[in-house]
Amino acid sequence: MTHQDLAQEFRDKEPGRYRGGVVVIFNNHVAGWMSELRDPQSWEPGCFAIDEEGNEWVAVGGNPYDGAKRWEPVSQK
């Protein structure tokens, strides 16, 4: 299952609750949701964030203890 599929499945479970924002995926599991892409230091490097349009970012830099340094685009629709 792709990151896109996981994010959509998560949103479909509770229609309307997770509108907008991004679904965060880590190790092929949903790790959470945020109303907007922010706070990379709150996430471990290697997390992916996917918005409703299918745009995808990855958390990079930093380390597992201190969190990532920034979000970088992976694919933009």
Side-chain angles (χ1 to χ4, degrees):
M1 190 174 268
T2 68
H3 296 147
Q4 305 286 331
D5 294 336
L6 289 167
Q8 190 59 52
E9 183 179 88
F10 177 77
R11 289 179 188 277
D12 289 346
K13 285 183 181 176
E14 294 192 49
R17 182 171 183 188
Y18 298 107
R19 296 186 63 127
V22 294
V23 176
V24 180
I25 309 289
F26 186 65
N27 287 337
N28 286 326
H29 296 284
V30 173
W33 174 87
M34 296 185 291
S35 60
E36 61 185 34
L37 188 65
R38 64 179 185 279
D39 303 328
Q41 72 280 0
S42 297
W43 300 95
E44 190 166 331
C47 284
F48 290 86
I50 298 94
D51 70 11
E52 285 183 308
E53 288 78 40
N55 298 308
E56 191 169 339
W57 296 265
V58 63
V60 298
N63 59 64
Y65 181 79
D66 296 314
K69 294 279 186 189
R70 65 191 174 281
W71 291 103
E72 287 190 357
V74 174
S75 65
Q76 304 295 296
K77 306 256 175 168

